[in-house]
Amino acid sequence: MTDISKNIIRVSEQITTAARLHHRDPSSIKLVAVSKTKPADMIRQASASGLTHIGESFVQESVEKIAVLKDLDLCWHFIGPIQSNKTRQIAENFHWVHSVGSLKVARRLSNQRPVDLAPLNLCVQVNISGEASKSGVSPTDLSPLVEQILLLPRLRLRGLMSIPAPTEGIHSQREPFRKISDLLAETKLRFGTSVDDMQHLSMGMSADLEAAIAEGATLLRVGTAIFGRRDPVAKH
Ligand SMILES: *Cc1c(COP(=O)(O)O)cnc(C)c1O
């Protein structure tokens, strides 16, 4: 067995254990394997071990991997910061985008989504820790943004995403995730059936996945625990 397949088994067990502990149905939680900076061959190994959801953060690098791996039946998630001049490549190559924090980017993605593809699945990124460096919409600006995104024809609004400031310990890790979960509940109350497709919480990474599961995560974005540590000097 390769390291990657062992890692996938271990992470899947962690997910099942955490789900049981927190009264969640494990089948409601998708593992998105985050392969940024890692070679296509490692994604091929993850696919051979049964993973289908792949997360990437850098447009150029990911478009190359998507092309090399087009023989596999993978679902590609874009989770990185979005520059306006890269939206076309995201709209043309990905199934999901998790990191949309502005109407400008959402409009471009809708306009640029090819007509022969299904609408692009989208999560709005919320900046829950209020750090100036992190992208995402502030909680107060979320509703106006949702209202506008719902008008864009080539997007399918699926949920919220967040990357809280890293903290230690499950209690402090759960706090920001609970806020995101509450924001999704508020959004559903406010918008009713027009957000029926909005069921997802993209939250939790290698270091805080139990906390995220406890607060309702449905899309876990896990990199290091599957593919190993990333080269810290990699230019990304
Ligand atoms: C890199 C990355 C991850 C994965 O982080 P790990 O700590 O390696 O699991 C998850 N989400 C986003 C947005 C990332 O950029």
Side-chain angles (χ1 to χ4, degrees), residues 155-171:
L155 302 179
R156 184 174 173 203
L157 186 53
R158 303 303 300 275
L160 301 179
M161 179 269 216
S162 194
I163 316 171
T167 50
E168 303 268 318
I170 188 156
H171 281 291

Side-chain angles (χ1 to χ4, degrees), residues 97-199:
V97 54
H98 294 219
S99 39
V100 175
S102 75
L103 182 58
K104 181 186 175 195
V105 163
R107 277 209 181 107
R108 292 178 65 92
L109 290 168
S110 181
N111 290 336
Q112 294 167 342
R113 181 67 168 171
V115 288
D116 57 322
L117 298 181
L120 181 60
N121 296 292
L122 179 146
C123 294
V124 173
Q125 182 173 355
V126 182
N127 182 352
I128 206 69
S129 309
E131 296 161 283
S133 61
K134 285 263 160 62
S135 34
V137 69
S138 71
T140 46
D141 293 337
L142 176 62
S143 281
L145 180 58
V146 164
E147 192 172 0
Q148 294 299 311
I149 288 178
L150 288 172
L151 301 172
L152 299 172
R154 301 293 295 140
L155 302 179
R156 184 174 173 203
L157 186 53
R158 303 303 300 275
L160 301 179
M161 179 269 216
S162 194
I163 316 171
T167 50
E168 303 268 318
I170 188 156
H171 281 291
S172 38
Q173 288 175 348
R174 281 180 70 160
E175 242 173 79
F177 292 142
R178 183 171 321 128
K179 288 186 190 154
I180 297 295
S181 189
D182 289 347
L183 275 174
L184 181 61
E186 286 165 30
T187 306
K188 287 184 185 183
L189 271 181
R190 184 186 297 243
F191 291 95
T193 54
S194 53
V195 293
D196 274 351
D197 277 352
M198 236 180 141
Q199 305 288 348

Side-chain angles (χ1 to χ4, degrees), residues 34 36 57 79-81 161 163 204-207 221-225 228 230:
V34 177
K36 64 184 181 217
S57 300
I79 63 172
M161 179 269 216
I163 316 171
M205 320 202 297
S206 297
R221 309 179 311 267
V222 178
T224 311
R230 291 177 291 275

